[in-house]
Amino acid sequence: LEENNIINNITEIRPFLGAKFSPLENYILLTQTIYEGGDITSLYDIKNKKKVEGIYGTTALEFTPDEKYLISCAYGRNFPMAKIYKTEGFNETYNLFGNIIGEGETQFYNGYRIKHCNWNNNTNRVRFYLENLRNPAESKELFYDIKNETLIK
């Protein structure tokens, strides 16, 4: 990376807080603070020696084993995040909580927050565990089938 000036160009602007390689080491995620309390995570394509894109506000990103997708889960009472991005182009392909319609409210929110999420190798699905803040007995698991782009409740 250094001989291609990828890291040098980044660190000249601001130091980075962390780095995470993809499972096959074709990509690297670099996180930087852009202002007090705000971070940007940028995806770099090592093979093609270029920055793909950056997203603000989350450092909780994990690659799927095939590196085709990134899963983002951010535990939050006011603004929970559970999104899936395509690695190619770093484009959002799914947002569990939908569009924000008010402070801390989304189309799906309705008292739930993301507790955790992970990739399930056996089913090739993303598993989301939602905690119901109003009634813990109504907490639930949801699965997202990336191949068919469908939510399984």
Side-chain angles (χ1 to χ4, degrees):
L1 287 175
E2 287 186 41
E3 64 188 63
N4 298 313
N5 274 341
I6 292 175
I7 287 184
N8 290 337
N9 289 340
I10 296 166
T11 56
E12 286 172 12
I13 298 169
R14 62 186 73 86
F16 63 92
L17 302 171
K20 184 185 299 185
F21 283 94
S22 61
L24 303 174
E25 298 183 352
N26 291 313
Y27 297 93
I28 187 170
L29 289 166
L30 296 177
T31 302
Q32 301 170 289
T33 298
I34 52 171
Y35 57 87
E36 189 174 321
D39 296 331
I40 183 170
T41 300
S42 299
L43 177 66
Y44 291 85
D45 182 334
I46 297 169
K47 186 178 178 181
N48 295 308
K49 302 173 186 149
K50 66 177 184 173
K51 178 179 175 180
V52 179
E53 191 58 65
I55 59 169
Y56 297 91
T58 186
T59 58
L61 288 160
E62 294 294 330
F63 288 93
T64 57
D66 63 5
E67 298 184 344
K68 291 183 180 179
Y69 297 91
L70 285 155
I71 302 164
S72 173
C73 271
Y75 175 84
R77 187 175 210 108
N78 292 327
F79 295 103
M81 182 187 298
K83 296 181 179 181
I84 299 170
Y85 298 89
K86 276 190 176 179
T87 306
E88 187 176 313
F90 211 178
N91 296 316
E92 182 180 308
T93 61
Y94 183 72
N95 181 351
L96 180 68
F97 288 100
N99 299 319
I100 294 173
I101 55 176
E103 186 174 340
E105 297 292 322
T106 65
Q107 292 172 350
F108 187 76
Y109 177 69
N110 199 23
Y112 288 94
R113 69 175 168 188
I114 191 76
K115 187 71 174 179
H116 53 82
C117 65
N118 63 311
W119 176 257
N120 186 319
N121 280 327
N122 297 327
T123 62
N124 288 324
R125 295 178 179 159
V126 179
R127 176 185 167 269
F128 298 105
Y129 180 75
L130 300 173
E131 178 181 38
N132 188 309
L133 302 172
R134 297 180 187 137
N135 184 356
E138 291 184 10
S139 297
K140 58 186 165 184
E141 288 182 322
L142 300 173
F143 297 89
Y144 186 76
D145 183 336
I146 289 179
K147 183 178 178 183
N148 296 311
E149 298 182 355
T150 55
L151 184 67
I152 302 160
K153 298 179 181 183

